[in-house]
Amino acid sequence: MFDLVMFDLDGTLVETAPEIADAVNDLLRDQQLPEVSEHLIRAWIGHGTRELMLHAYAHATGLEEETVRRTGTLDILMPRFAEFYAVRTGQRSRLYPDVLSTLKALRAAQVRIALVTNKEQRFATTVLMVHGIRHYFDMVVAGDTLEAKKPDPLPVRYCLDAFKLRANRALFVGDSEIDVATARAAGVAVWAVPYGYNHGKSIALAEPDRIIPTVAAVAEAVRASALHASD
């Protein structure tokens, strides 16, 4: 059925919002600014930690986001954020149901597995290592791996090229409209989970090819395809 499955990270494989919120608020307190609610932070996840911090800092200070961009404040804040996030990573995140069993099943079926995330490489790697799943991935394409990130199709096309596969042999699994738009632009099938971070909107509005209760549906589809092929 699929020779390659690409997964998003935050909100798809790992519930990371609590500890991201902790790190953001660590930084805001460090700057003597008011904290931001986890509810808001969940709505900002998806474009990488720099964009998330832009939203949070602008919200806490009351400044326009473009003003914050122009001042170069983020260049000063992000190294400090990295320190806080390094401490917080793994403290309050968790794998979503069926993630580990699904990765094991795909590996057993010799399906290639890639991670395509907008989170920066150092943060993505830490999350994967903390939760013991890094070794399941044949490739990790992070937000700073290439010159463009989701929703640009480049990260998905990069994976397809690396594995020498056509788009119709690949599946993208995510949780947001960003993931759906990325897959559509790259011409690959896209399935979505309903429990992640989609800016407070129902994932149904993004019209993925399929909405699945958990990522276990991916392993089930691969097993069913293998059984059919053996008949």
Side-chain angles (χ1 to χ4, degrees):
M1 186 177 187
F2 300 112
D3 297 317
L4 167 65
V5 177
M6 293 165 282
F7 290 98
D8 170 57
L9 179 60
D10 299 273
T12 300
L13 298 179
V14 186
E15 163 71 287
T16 51
E19 64 191 24
I20 291 174
D22 290 341
V24 168
N25 284 320
D26 286 342
L27 179 60
L28 293 176
R29 283 192 299 271
D30 185 64
Q31 299 296 307
Q32 299 183 326
L33 292 169
E35 295 184 11
V36 175
S37 72
E38 184 179 316
H39 176 74
L40 273 177
I41 289 171
R42 283 176 177 272
W44 295 331
I45 291 173
H47 292 277
T49 53
R50 188 180 178 92
E51 285 298 301
L52 188 152
M53 202 62 241
L54 168 67
H55 294 313
Y57 188 82
H59 182 86
T61 58
L63 294 171
E64 294 291 331
E65 291 184 2
E66 283 307 309
T67 299
V68 177
R69 286 187 198 276
R70 287 197 305 271
T71 58
T73 302
L74 290 176
D75 293 332
I76 299 169
L77 294 180
M78 290 311 295
R80 186 69 172 140
F81 173 78
E83 294 176 16
F84 287 123
Y85 192 32
V87 172
R88 293 290 191 176
T89 301
Q91 289 190 354
R92 290 213 293 147
S93 58
R94 62 178 178 85
L95 294 178
Y96 284 111
D98 304 318
V99 167
L100 188 57
S101 61
T102 296
L103 294 176
K104 287 180 177 178
L106 293 178
R107 175 62 66 223
Q110 298 184 321
V111 174
R112 296 284 195 172
I113 310 172
L115 187 80
V116 179
T117 176
N118 279 348
K119 187 188 288 293
E120 291 81 349
Q121 184 80 45
R122 55 182 168 169
F123 301 138
T125 299
T126 299
V127 171
L128 295 175
M129 294 297 290
V130 164
H131 292 286
I133 59 173
R134 173 61 185 88
H135 63 288
Y136 289 106
F137 294 91
D138 298 292
M139 176 176 288
V140 173
V141 182
D144 52 358
T145 301
L146 305 169
E147 58 267 29
K149 59 186 179 181
K150 300 183 297 183
D152 193 287
L154 178 63
V156 171
R157 289 175 178 161
Y158 182 82
C159 292
L160 293 173
D161 289 344
F163 296 119
K164 297 179 172 58
L165 291 173
R166 293 181 178 178
N168 64 355
R169 301 303 303 167
L171 170 69
F172 196 100
V173 182
D175 69 306
S176 72
E177 61 186 8
I178 295 172
D179 296 322
V180 175
T182 303
R184 289 272 186 264
V188 304
V190 56
W191 296 1
V193 294
Y195 50 70
Y197 314 135
N198 189 36
H199 318 295
K201 295 181 284 187
S202 168
I203 191 60
L205 297 174
E207 299 183 339
D209 295 313
R210 184 176 170 188
I211 298 175
I212 55 177
T214 75
V215 294
V218 180
E220 290 164 7
V222 169
R223 277 194 293 266
S225 178
L227 287 172
H228 180 73
S230 64
D231 289 343

